[in-house]
Structures are given as C-alpha cells and as structure tokens.
Amino acid sequence: MKVVLFCHSLLSDWNHGNAHFLRGIVAELRAQGHEVTSWEPENGWSRKSLLADAGPGALEQVRRAFPWMDEVVREYGPDGPPLQEALRGADLVIVHEWSDPQLVAAIGRRREREQDFALLFHDTHHRAVTAPRQMEAFELSAFDGVLAFGETIRRLYLQKRWARRAWTWHEAADTRVFKPCVHSDGARELVWVGNWGDGERVRELRDYLLGPARRLRLRGTIHGVRYPRRARVQARLCGLPYRGWLPNHRVPEVFAAHRCTVHVPRRPYALALPGIPTIRVFEALACGIPLLSAPWKDSDGLFRAGRDYLLVRDPEEMRAALRRVLGDEQLRLSLAASGLETMRARHTCAHRVQELLEIARELGVRTQARAAA
C-alpha cells in the first residue's frame, strides 16, 4: 500500500505535538512494508520557530534520530505541493487538519476527478469545539471520512455534518523511541515536559505544578517552548528551572533522570473534550515514569486511573500525591509497571496502524505491503 500524508511538519516538533504521533505512524507503516511519502511546507511556522530558537543543528538532530526522514519527507514552497506528482500511485491519502484549507480543497477536487485513492482527514486539536468556524472552512465533501483523536470529536463531525463518516483514532506512543531508560532515581524529583500554549492552562500549571513544587521544595526541571519571562522566573523560584525546547526523541532520557511527572490538560480538553489526553500521557507511560494527573475525565476508557497513574481532584490532593509517590519506591515501581503494561497492550503506534489498515480495508483499499518489512 502506498500512503501519502500531508501535514504541517514531521521534521519539526517545536510547539507541534502532532509530529510526535505522525512520526510513529510513518515509522510503523514502513516497518510493515508500506510505502509512505509525507509532504510539508518548507517554511512552516514550527520549523521557522525551531530554527530561530535552536539553530540549524536542531533539524540535523531530528534527521539523525529518524534516518528514514530523508526518504519520506518532501517539502513544497508557497505555491503548494505538485499534487499530480504527490498523489501518483497513492492508495490512501491522509490530510492533517493543520493543512491549509485551500490545499485540503484542492486534494478533494482531485479525489472527485480521479476516485482512485481513499482520502481521510485527520483531526488532533480542540478547534472543532473552540473555533468551529475555522473547521467549517475545510471542504470535506470529497473525503471518505475523518480520523478523530477522541470520541467527542468523532461525534461532533457527524452531528455538524462536516463529514459523512468518522472513526475514533486515538494518539499513541512510538515505542521504538518511547521506552524505559536506565533509571537513575537521583536528586531530581519532578519533571514537566510541555509547551506554554496560548494561555489555556496558566492557572492549572500554577495550581498543579508550580505551587505543589514550591510548597514541597522539590527539585526538578521544566522543558517546553513559548514560556513568557514571568513564567520562567516563577518556575525557577519554585525549584523547577526552565530548560527550553527539548527534542521529542530525547524525552525518555530526561524522564529517566527524574522520579515522576505530571499531566496538566489544557482547559478545552478538561472541560469540553473528555477522553482526550495529551500525547505526553502516552509517552510518559511508555517510558515507565510515574505519572500524576490534574483533573481529567477518561471517558474513552484509555487507562486505569489509580493503577496506571494517580488522578487528583484539587491542588491539595496533588501535593499529597506527590509527597506520597516521592516517598514510596514501591508505589513508583507499581505505577510505572502498570502504565507500561497498558501502553504495550493497547496504545502503541503499531496498534494504531492496525486500526488504520482496518479502516482502509473498510474503504476498499488493498492494504498489502509493497516491500519486505
């Protein structure tokens, strides 16, 4: 099967969590013998921001970590990708929702004319709830359906008649990259890996991360991008110095140098989109680091609260849970083992590729591998 992906970027993960999951899907498809090509803008905002923040060596790090990138990634300029070339021989085409609406429409028109490939739209953001007019700008009438990263989003596409069909396709961890490293269990107690975003969880980060760290006098680290100066200063004063952008493939080694991490969902997910965790949850559990979560409703039944991670109801419970986890090695080992067990059983990119192949077969695609895995 030949798969063609259009996305914002596979090369850059600067404030771009979609790259994490898509990299894993591409790697797994290739491992199973499928041909994959990915198209991305050569001057996308994530890549430009990464180069400005970390310099050209940052992209070289990514290419070394994922040597298949040079075979897969194709870049296009302001005039858009050459669609005749890009779609030639495709069996399955996936267009991610951070693509330009004009590109989405152009791919749809070609699908209507040629009818020789299955076409899916991939939604991994909260805009369907928080910015519905932006989503209405996408012309999806020629698409076979939508891959939604949560059941709430799937239902929304059908209710609003944005798509004829939709499937729930949760994110997952690429366990080639995200796996336990040798755990030092040393002096650093708490790590947070996450971006500042657009102010969607300022209060939550203060209540469930910075405040508990300050009260308990913890030592740790914060990694991410777009943190304003005031937030960086506050983090340092709370014992969690800010270390900036962390290449996603280096997250496992950073987790291994800390005793636990936390999940603080952005407000739209906590309030309006239950069942959708951040990609960081999958990655943390796959790395075997104990995880504590701010309030979040797992309505899609992805994990086992209390076993795979600890769920708290308020900042006081977070402080108590952190104190308990950091003081109890057996509890840390139990949480790590349980979370890892659930990930390996249900939430790897290999699982998601099997789900994708089932959807493709449902659409009449011949999913045989084209080359030896």
Side-chain angles (χ1 to χ4, degrees), residues 136-270:
E136 289 169 355
F138 290 108
E139 174 51 62
L140 302 180
S141 60
F143 281 65
D144 292 296
V146 171
L147 301 171
F149 76 146
E151 177 63 16
T152 303
I153 297 290
R154 186 194 72 83
R155 291 198 303 265
L156 196 60
Y157 268 88
L158 298 178
Q159 290 167 2
K160 290 183 175 291
R161 297 184 178 179
W162 291 343
R164 297 191 303 270
R165 305 174 76 178
W167 296 266
T168 299
W169 199 46
H170 287 288
E171 293 181 312
D174 179 2
T175 50
R176 292 174 178 79
V177 177
F178 296 94
K179 53 190 174 183
C181 295
V182 176
H183 201 292
S184 62
D185 205 22
R188 285 179 284 181
E189 294 152 324
L190 176 62
V191 62
W192 161 260
V193 182
N195 301 322
W196 185 258
D198 298 309
E200 303 135 311
R201 56 182 171 194
V202 174
R203 185 183 65 217
E204 290 84 354
L205 287 174
R206 181 193 65 210
D207 290 348
Y208 292 97
L209 176 66
L210 300 179
R214 178 180 56 81
R215 290 279 297 273
L216 296 173
R217 298 183 178 181
L218 302 183
R219 291 165 291 181
T221 315
I222 287 179
H223 287 277
V225 300
R226 297 180 65 196
Y227 283 73
R229 182 178 182 278
R230 180 178 179 182
R232 298 196 300 268
V233 170
Q234 187 178 6
R236 178 173 54 82
L237 294 176
C238 291
L240 304 175
Y242 172 72
R243 301 301 186 196
W245 173 70
L246 177 67
N248 192 235
H249 61 272
R250 291 190 52 216
V251 166
E253 67 187 72
V254 171
F255 279 159
H258 296 78
R259 296 188 188 181
C260 67
T261 189
V262 297
H263 170 226
V264 183
R266 298 174 191 268
R267 201 167 303 134
Y269 294 112

Side-chain angles (χ1 to χ4, degrees), residues 285 304 306-309 333-343:
L285 296 183
R304 301 171 294 186
R307 293 178 59 187
D308 299 337
Y309 66 96
L333 292 173
S334 175
L335 287 170
S338 183
L340 188 58
E341 177 186 57
T342 294
M343 285 300 304

